Amino acid sequence: MLGSRGHGSTASFLLGSTSLYVLGRARCPAVVVRAGDPAVEDGSGRPVAADRGEVVVGVKETGRAADPLLEFAFTAADRRGARVRVVRALQSFGTVAPVHAMAAGHADSHHEAEEHARLAGVLAPWREKFPHVRVVEQVAAGPAAAVLLYAAEHSELTVLGRRRNPSHLTWRLGPVAHAALHHMPCPVAVVPHD
């Protein structure tokens, strides 16, 4: 678990260079918690803020690469007695959907139906493994960072993926992870995957 107060040249951001480096290189999931975060658990294991009851997981790919993220999200939700909101952003080929449309999960109907079907297939084994965890599927058109930020407005944890890099010299995070880490209203878990 990492703190979020940056020092040095990146102090204007939510995260410092040390946190960014660790998140980009860690071989296991790493969680960033902002100081004073209302979603942080108290000693009872329940979130301090009463309006938070979801673990949000952003799924970029609907194949086996999503399994480590889903395992982390479902396990966290099971422990917290929370539901899982699985978010999939679709690139919009026309105009970008407004935020209220993203919240409702509106996208081009053909693509939306295909993505819901793919997502349901990916989630089936996790629903079976965690039958007591409620699941919300959200497919929305728009930039992935905006869709995810809006979906996680009341979450107690957001789970993102990061590809393992083949070179030990690279440790960069993608633009969606950067946006989430700097602006997310709750702790963020970054899960490396192949």
Side-chain angles (χ1 to χ4, degrees):
M1 193 166 295
L2 300 167
S4 64
R5 192 169 297 174
H7 298 288
S9 63
T10 59
S12 62
F13 292 107
L14 176 64
L15 295 176
S17 57
T18 301
S19 292
L20 287 172
Y21 181 81
V22 170
L23 289 168
R25 293 290 307 270
R27 293 176 183 243
C28 62
V31 179
V32 175
V33 179
R34 182 178 13 182
D37 193 324
V40 175
E41 294 179 351
D42 61 13
S44 70
R46 297 297 307 152
V48 174
D51 65 338
R52 299 180 185 272
E54 288 188 335
V55 171
V56 172
V57 56
V59 176
K60 180 178 180 180
E61 299 172 27
T62 54
R64 303 287 295 171
D67 284 349
L69 283 75
L70 294 171
E71 180 177 14
F72 190 93
F74 272 84
T75 300
D78 189 42
R79 287 183 184 153
R80 298 165 189 263
R83 70 183 162 264
V84 172
R85 178 175 297 271
V86 183
V87 180
R88 173 97 168 106
L90 300 178
Q91 291 298 332
S92 176
F93 295 105
T95 59
V96 174
V99 171
H100 67 277
M102 287 190 276
H106 294 141
D108 175 61
S109 60
H110 176 70
H111 291 297
E112 183 181 9
E114 287 179 355
E115 289 302 322
H116 271 292
R118 283 190 190 115
L119 202 51
V122 169
L123 292 175
W126 298 103
R127 288 181 192 266
E128 188 175 318
K129 185 174 180 177
F130 294 90
H132 302 296
V133 174
R134 291 178 295 148
V135 180
V136 176
E137 297 174 27
Q138 181 175 340
V139 175
V147 169
L148 191 62
L149 286 168
Y150 195 86
E153 187 176 28
H154 297 289
S155 69
E156 55 188 82
L157 176 68
T158 298
V159 181
L160 302 171
R162 172 189 60 78
R163 287 193 181 277
R164 287 191 174 99
N165 294 309
S167 169
H168 69 284
L169 300 174
T170 58
W171 52 272
R172 294 180 4 178
L173 299 170
V176 174
H178 265 282
L181 290 164
H182 290 292
H183 302 291
M184 197 59 70
C186 63
V188 177
V190 178
V191 179
H193 63 85
D194 292 321

